[in-house]
Amino acid sequence: MSAADQSRLDQFFADVAEESKSFLGYPCNGLFDYSPLFKFLQYPLNNVGDPFLPSNYHLNTHEFECDLLKIFQTLTQAPENQTWGYITNGGTEGNHYGLFLARELMPKAIVYYSQDAHYSIDKILRCLGMRSIMIRSLPKGAMDLDDLRETLRIHRDLPAIVCATVGTTMKGAVDDILGIQNIFQELALKRHYLHVDAALGGMVMPFLADPPPWNFEAGIDSIAISGHKMIGSPIPCGVVLAKKSYVDRIAQSVEYIGTLDTTLSGSRNAFTPLVLWYALHSIGLDRFQQMVKGCLETADYAIDQLTQLDRNAWRHPYANIVVFDRPASIITQRWQLACQGDISHLITMPHVTKEQLDNFIASLQALETLPDRPVMPLSVCETTLSDTDQNITIISSDAINLLTQVSTALAAAGLSIEDLFAVKTQGGSIVHMKVDNREKALQILNLHLDIGRCHGHSRPFSSEETAQILSQVNYHAVSDEALLIQLQDRPGSLAQVMKQCQDHNIAIRAVRLISRSQGEALVEIASDQAPQLKAIFSDRILHSNPAKLPEHQV
Ligand SMILES: *Cc1c(COP(=O)(O)O)cnc(C)c1O
């Protein structure tokens, strides 16, 4: 491979590692290590055909697949030897299989599913050409059983297939499985089928002390669970289980592979059964239980933090999905949050730490101080960008406090400032800094300071010009009586200080970052109102003797 191709891969690896630090919004556990399974990747393993039957293709992991299915039978309280299943490519394939089976059994049936059902259901029903009716959801996400009852009553002459959700994607709601069965009884609907989509919930419910009814014990006919969600896998996967007597009725034999063709796809992933088997055997169900408990505790921590910011955060008692008011898109993009209408959610999967949540909360707080764009009206904006040595320099002729705006915008995007030097001169403001992700920082600044638009009418400075402008700024001339303030070294800290200064009407002449170490940052702030500044930050002031500090290298 060429050096360019190699470096492209390396860069991609670095990007993935970076993005994984802010992975709060999707229900995929990122905490795993399957490196002991690496050696299996050198063989063309393939699980084609029915996992329970011998096949002519011997390079398979059917044995592990069957072991796994046993574990899932136990977790879903299926009666022994009465369910059949296989390891799928994910929750979607499991739903597809469940509904396919139901259609083969009752071709004329209508499928009922809720407004909050996963988007895959709609698509699957179209693939299968099944008649369906969407049932209303209650505000907290569960299927509205009054609506289901009324709708079923009207269509009592046709068999009913209900696709219930155990853990809706957006709000984590569990549909009332026993309530649905009761409606079948009440209406004397003899021909019915109940499929459960338990993509995430299927690996949460088994570990709760008192889960709502959700599985075979509650009379369901089939269930789909994702493998890459709560368990975690580098390759998407899942499991589907269905009553064996149904599957036997529709199985078809295929001579070519010498086995029964009971699965949806032909060739099937043989590596993911190893992954799931390894996870369940190495972690063990006891530790899984602790892991799930930990997820719920982290969810409660997130709710506490969000409540302090008045974000209307809540969760169902059985779900690790925290629903709250939808924040601005700068936040949802940075933290990869899913949104629906005016709500957003974050999902405290095992890899989510309190520290990550603190950083997330800090970005939310920072954003509160950021007005809706544009921050600087075009008429007074002569801001321009230039860069040398990976630094970003922003020069504005505007009287607005440039550093407050810049630090706030960066904090909201979760970017940290690695080096900083900001001065207010008579002609305007200069912010010269180094950030951890320059590309993103430029994007954010363009968005919030409208620098992009200004480019059109004031030309960017060349690096020589910038260096010249900066060299004319005499830092020491503005830094007498500067104070040293200690901050937590994380996105948002500086923005908060700047906001406090603004709230107290304290004009800042200069700010520079002196040092960063062990989670602390030392910042020097010069102002004509040093006594007021001292009073506000009394608990964080280190000492104030700027003369002893090294000259800032621009
Ligand atoms: C994620 C999810 C699915 C889809 O599962 P995939 O594994 O992504 O195919 C289906 N239903 C629900 C409720 C889900 O949360």
Side-chain angles (χ1 to χ4, degrees), residues 342-361:
D342 50 10
I343 59 163
S344 246
H345 70 194
L346 61 84
I347 309 187
T348 53
M349 296 306 282
H351 65 270
V352 174
T353 61
K354 287 188 176 172
E355 194 191 351
Q356 270 176 320
L357 289 172
D358 288 344
N359 287 337
F360 165 68
I361 294 290

Side-chain angles (χ1 to χ4, degrees), residues 124-336:
I124 291 163
L125 293 173
R126 281 176 44 191
C127 288
L128 294 170
M130 295 170 89
R131 187 175 165 198
S132 63
I133 297 176
M134 187 183 270
I135 303 299
R136 272 197 298 273
S137 296
L138 297 167
K140 292 219 157 171
M143 188 184 284
D144 180 345
L145 292 200
D146 290 337
D147 192 28
L148 178 68
R149 185 182 296 106
E150 289 322 301
T151 315
L152 279 173
R153 195 192 298 282
I154 297 167
H155 301 281
R156 277 177 62 178
D157 52 322
L158 293 172
I161 298 168
V162 174
C163 179
T165 313
V166 167
T168 59
T169 311
M170 203 57 207
K171 297 173 186 161
V174 171
D175 289 342
D176 180 355
I177 302 294
L178 292 183
I180 294 169
Q181 310 272 23
N182 286 340
I183 293 173
F184 290 152
Q185 303 290 326
E186 207 180 302
L187 299 178
L189 253 169
K190 285 234 169 63
R191 308 209 60 204
H192 55 76
Y193 186 105
L194 183 49
H195 172 76
V196 166
D197 173 4
L200 176 61
M203 274 310 281
V204 174
M205 299 302 145
F207 305 105
L208 301 180
D210 191 18
W214 65 282
N215 56 23
F216 287 101
E217 199 184 49
I220 67 166
D221 296 300
S222 56
I223 188 166
I225 303 173
S226 285
H228 57 280
K229 288 191 171 172
M230 187 48 91
I231 301 173
S233 164
I235 301 168
C237 55
V239 60
V240 63
L241 288 175
K243 285 186 179 160
K244 200 167 165 186
S245 56
Y246 299 163
V247 180
D248 291 343
R249 272 156 64 187
I250 68 157
Q252 280 177 14
S253 143
V254 181
E255 194 183 354
Y256 169 66
I257 53 168
T259 186
L260 281 180
D261 185 27
T262 36
T263 58
L264 275 190
S265 14
S267 285
R268 293 190 300 114
N269 197 320
F271 187 71
T272 49
L274 285 181
V275 162
L276 296 180
W277 185 91
Y278 182 87
L280 292 178
H281 280 259
S282 60
I283 298 172
L285 295 182
D286 286 349
R287 266 175 56 214
F288 229 93
Q289 184 154 24
Q290 285 169 15
M291 200 163 97
V292 169
K293 191 165 165 245
C295 291
L296 295 179
E297 284 165 8
T298 315
D300 285 334
Y301 179 77
I303 290 177
D304 281 351
Q305 299 296 307
L306 285 162
T307 302
Q308 285 177 28
L309 297 184
D310 284 332
R311 297 287 166 147
N312 297 314
W314 61 274
R315 71 173 176 92
H316 285 289
Y318 42 70
N320 60 332
I321 296 182
V322 175
V323 181
F324 58 99
D325 295 343
R326 180 182 187 147
S329 65
I330 185 174
I331 298 279
T332 57
Q333 275 183 23
R334 153 80 180 163
W335 296 96
Q336 305 174 53

Side-chain angles (χ1 to χ4, degrees), residues 51-64:
F52 292 95
L53 301 174
S55 133
N56 292 343
Y57 195 104
H58 292 179
L59 295 177
N60 66 54
T61 61
H62 282 168
E63 207 185 295
F64 292 89

